[in-house]
Amino acid sequence: MNASPIRGERKTQLARAARIILVGAPGVGKGTQAERLMKRFPQLAAISSGDLLRQNVCTRTPLGIRAESVMKAGALVSAGPASSPMTLSSTAVGASMMPEAADNFISADMDAASSMPVQASDDPSASFILDGFPRTAAQAAQLDSQITINLVVNIITPTSIILDRISDRLVHAPSGRVYNDTFNPPRVAGRDDVTGEPLTRRADDDPQTWMNRLRKFEQTSRPLLEHYRHRDMLWTVEGNSSDEISPVLFEEFERRFVGGRY
């Protein structure tokens, strides 16, 4: 995503499974950090509820059509009843996805067996990053019943910096590549570096829309962060840019999942 000195760095093998959640305000750079972590640690896979939802909007699936107006208003898309059993699905971008699962990879599964807790593997190949889910303490509690998360990263960047960042943000919707007119411009103005296709701005990259999203995020994130703080899973990193945050995140990640057991 963002141009940075992180590119070209060595790849590192994990010693044990990393089951990670990234939490942070809209535009804080969760997607950038997820991409950089996957480049550094190739055994990681990432699921972004926001990217999957935007893909549904772009392809005009029934879920995307219902979610579009909510996203433009800066509201959080409901994930359905908290009591519904959830499963994580990497194929949930299809139009057949159940409408209650507006986080896209959260599906209601009426088979009682699916709600049984999963025996978490410690094999590094079982590693993953969740970006954008869970958003509420209720969702987190339900996730706890299915799989054990072993690190929740709370990313903090000042509001004024995020607002400047999103006002200059450009995206290549088909791939999810992100550019910025100020610090990571495309090689050809308005064109994706890889395909040459036009870049666009996200409909929700509007300052007022973002402020609405921030207020709702703050309302739901406080109990979510407390949920994980009480379980001693929460770790916070602060910085003014992704390039400040990434080295600190890499160091903590290696301490926990590459070096000695945490």
Side-chain angles (χ1 to χ4, degrees), residues 25-28 30 48-55 57-58 67-77 135 162-163 165-171 173 178 200-214:
V28 78
K30 297 186 296 295
S48 166
S49 62
D51 286 348
L52 294 176
L53 196 57
R54 280 186 284 271
Q55 183 172 345
V57 171
C58 289
E68 184 173 22
S69 61
V70 179
M71 294 172 68
K72 286 182 177 179
L76 294 180
V77 182
R135 285 198 307 251
I162 297 179
L163 281 170
R165 183 184 298 171
I166 67 169
S167 65
D168 292 334
R169 182 159 60 182
L170 295 166
V171 297
V178 178
T200 59
R201 297 192 186 276
R202 291 176 180 168
D204 51 352
D205 275 356
D206 167 80
Q208 187 55 53
T209 299
W210 184 85
M211 290 302 297
N212 291 339
R213 294 173 65 200
L214 177 63

Side-chain angles (χ1 to χ4, degrees), residues 47 97 103 118 129 143 191 201-202 220 258:
I47 302 174
M97 188 66 198
D103 278 315
V118 176
I129 303 170
L143 184 63
R191 297 281 174 175
R201 297 192 186 276
R202 291 176 180 168
T220 59
V258 177

Side-chain angles (χ1 to χ4, degrees), residues 36 61-62 65 84 92 118 136-137 157 173 209 212 242:
R36 290 178 177 182
T61 67
I65 292 169
S84 301
V118 176
T136 68
T157 294
T209 299
N212 291 339
S242 294

Side-chain angles (χ1 to χ4, degrees), residues 194-262:
V194 177
T195 66
E197 294 172 340
L199 300 175
T200 59
R201 297 192 186 276
R202 291 176 180 168
D204 51 352
D205 275 356
D206 167 80
Q208 187 55 53
T209 299
W210 184 85
M211 290 302 297
N212 291 339
R213 294 173 65 200
L214 177 63
R215 283 191 289 270
K216 293 182 182 301
F217 165 77
E218 290 175 340
Q219 291 170 5
T220 59
S221 67
R222 280 192 290 269
L224 173 67
L225 296 176
E226 281 302 308
H227 174 89
Y228 286 118
R229 184 177 288 110
H230 290 156
R231 285 158 179 75
D232 200 27
M233 297 178 189
L234 187 65
W235 178 76
T236 297
V237 57
E238 300 185 37
N240 291 337
S241 71
S242 294
D243 288 350
E244 286 184 25
I245 290 170
S246 292
V248 182
L249 178 56
F250 286 174
E251 182 179 357
E252 181 68 13
F253 206 86
E254 292 189 1
R255 186 174 74 86
R256 291 175 181 251
F257 302 112
V258 177
R261 286 197 175 271
Y262 181 74

Side-chain angles (χ1 to χ4, degrees), residues 6 8-12 39-41 254:
I6 302 301
E9 286 196 359
R10 62 185 172 83
K11 297 184 184 301
T12 303
K39 287 180 179 178
R40 179 71 168 253
F41 307 97
E254 292 189 1

